[in-house]
Amino acid sequence: MNFEHRQVIIIGAGSAGLTAAIYTARANLKPLVIRGPEPGGQLATTTEVENYPGFVNGILGPELMEHFEAQAARFDTELRYGTITSVDLAQRPFRLIVDDEKTLLSDAVIIATGASPKYLGLENEKRLLGHGVSSCATCDAAFFREQEVAIVGGGDTAMEDAIFLTRFCSKVYVIHRRKKLRATKILQERAFAKEKISFIWNTLVEDILGEDEVEGLLLKNIETGETYILPIAGLFVAIGYQPNTKIFQGWLEMDSKGYIHTLPGSTYTNIAGVFASGDAQDYVYRQAATAVGTGCMAAIDAERWLESQNLVSVSLADKWGRLADSQD
Ligand code: NAP
């Protein structure tokens, strides 16, 4: 059978994947980016991004990702809808299966699958997802105009989301399992300054109540053991992210949480020719700026590796032609 064969396939179109695309495209490797189920990655569902360098007054996350994508498309990047549902990394070229159907072959693979929101794991959370339970304040805040909502979590996401929710909601409860927030100081201070935000410390969400939509939460104070009901119309879950690396289990070395191991100072995985970038391999920093950095590293690692294997099929004339184009 004749399968489509590429030099580089990038899995994921968030900040790491699109940076890898820009660099591999400029290296004339004609990358194919498989966008996956969440194109744009986490930034596509955030509001104001204030800490991404180069934007003095901040920029909206979705707008920033549009810039990334346009820049990748400006060079020879092909962006394609679809999700890689399984891989075979034992064969060369590597085999990637799209949407359980189509097989793609690639000499090198750059993983940029990112991470997705974690959930509490409650039965009613699953049942009421989309009916008052959400992990995306940016997407769903407007459904809760002038209503009381809660957000669970104590990190940067929870603070940013809580602040954002005050634009729409009459009251925002932040429920945190400890007395100390994990979020950066600047976000903590902004959240503390918002009159509409109330903090409920040392507390767990034991259950989510409501038949067809969320009506309240069963909360438990872990210091006193007291349980009580908090009536609210919506629950936003902001308790962190888990790496999207399930399809690589059994192929690539990873830690117990699923973060792919890379050789220190590089994006090399345990399989030569497979490179990992962004939140799929970064448990420590997890920032857009660091994902961009490792996306760039993965592209350079892949290019050098392909060259070392004599797998780069770029003619010099082609390369010089592109250089002249880019200088026009
Ligand atoms: P995070 O930093 O991992 O924080 C998750 C929060 O949820 C923690 O407060 C944690 O409690 C709590 N939590 C975890 N599991 C829980 C459970 N089962 N039940 C109740 N609470 C639970 O995640 P994040 O806030 O999504 O941030 C992820 C990364 O993105 C971080 O590196 C963050 O700095 C970055 N980020 C940056 C920005 C920004 O700079 N503007 C914005 C958003 C995210 P404990 O504190 O007790 O562990």
Side-chain angles (χ1 to χ4, degrees):
M1 208 177 221
N2 231 355
F3 296 125
E4 183 179 348
H5 183 176
R6 297 292 187 123
Q7 288 184 95
V8 182
I9 292 181
I10 298 163
I11 313 177
S15 35
L18 292 172
T19 304
I22 292 166
Y23 273 77
T24 48
R26 283 179 53 79
N28 225 3
L29 294 171
K30 299 184 172 48
L32 169 64
V33 178
I34 303 295
R35 291 170 184 260
E38 292 159 28
Q42 289 165 42
L43 283 184
T45 56
T46 24
T47 46
E48 197 77 22
V49 181
E50 287 185 336
N51 53 5
Y52 192 78
F55 297 91
V56 183
N57 300 314
I59 181 167
L60 292 173
E63 194 186 337
L64 180 59
M65 293 325 290
E66 278 172 24
H67 288 318
F68 272 55
E69 200 170 307
Q71 195 175 352
R74 202 185 124 205
F75 305 104
D76 248 345
T77 298
E78 186 186 341
L79 288 137
R80 200 178 285 176
Y81 284 101
T83 299
I84 302 294
T85 43
S86 62
V87 296
D88 181 348
L89 305 179
Q91 305 197 44
R92 306 285 169 139
F94 302 117
R95 282 169 185 247
L96 310 178
I97 315 300
V98 190
D99 297 327
D100 291 317
E101 280 177 359
K102 196 177 170 210
T103 300
L104 298 172
L105 306 180
S106 192
D107 297 326
V109 171
I110 295 177
I111 297 167
T113 45
S116 296
K118 282 200 292 194
Y119 286 93
L120 294 163
L122 300 167
E123 202 47 52
N124 284 336
E125 179 186 44
K126 223 184 284 170
R127 189 173 59 81
L128 292 166
L129 192 66
H131 300 277
V133 175
S134 168
S135 65
C136 179
T138 333
C139 321
D140 297 330
F143 296 124
F144 299 94
R145 264 176 220 281
E146 296 311 321
Q147 299 189 67
E148 299 201 354
V149 299
I151 184 152
V152 58
D156 284 338
T157 306
M159 293 313 108
E160 267 190 353
D161 287 359
I163 293 163
F164 181 71
L165 284 164
T166 61
R167 293 195 207 168
F168 301 84
C169 308
S170 54
K171 178 99 200 159
V172 181
Y173 295 97
V174 174
I175 300 163
H176 186 35
R177 62 185 178 184
R178 295 189 291 144
K179 178 78 187 69
K180 193 169 180 286
L181 294 172
R182 182 178 291 278
T184 43
K185 284 279 174 288
I186 189 166
L187 286 174
Q188 291 194 24
E189 280 163 16
R190 278 188 206 161
F192 289 144
K194 290 275 180 201
E195 264 178 31
K196 283 185 179 178
I197 299 180
S198 286
F199 286 82
I200 303 179
W201 303 108
N202 299 319
T203 296
L204 296 179
V205 176
E206 292 270 281
D207 204 356
I208 303 166
L209 313 172
E211 269 310 305
D212 301 323
E213 51 190 35
V214 172
E215 289 169 13
L217 302 176
L218 178 65
L219 300 181
K220 182 179 184 182
N221 182 304
I222 46 178
E223 278 196 327
T224 61
E226 181 201 0
T227 56
Y228 59 99
I229 289 173
L230 177 74
I232 42 112
L235 175 67
F236 289 85
V237 183
I239 60 168
Y241 289 81
Q242 62 192 16
N244 298 317
T245 55
K246 216 169 168 189
I247 53 168
F248 306 109
Q249 268 168 19
W251 297 106
L252 298 179
E253 285 172 11
M254 45 184 86
D255 69 12
S256 57
K257 291 191 170 125
Y259 289 90
I260 297 170
H261 285 164
T262 48
L263 205 68
S266 84
T267 61
Y268 277 77
T269 65
N270 58 300
I271 296 184
V274 179
F275 306 88
S277 60
D279 283 11
Q281 55 85 51
D282 171 19
Y283 176 63
V284 180
Y285 303 103
R286 297 179 289 170
Q287 304 297 308
T290 50
V292 162
T294 54
C296 165
M297 286 163 65
I300 294 172
D301 286 343
E303 184 193 3
R304 291 184 181 159
W305 180 80
L306 286 165
E307 252 167 18
S308 74
Q309 307 293 304
N310 288 327
L311 286 169
V312 175
S313 61
V314 181
S315 77
L316 270 183
D318 204 7
K319 213 168 189 172
W320 284 115
R322 293 188 60 73
L323 195 62
D325 285 351
S326 68
Q327 287 170 349
D328 278 347

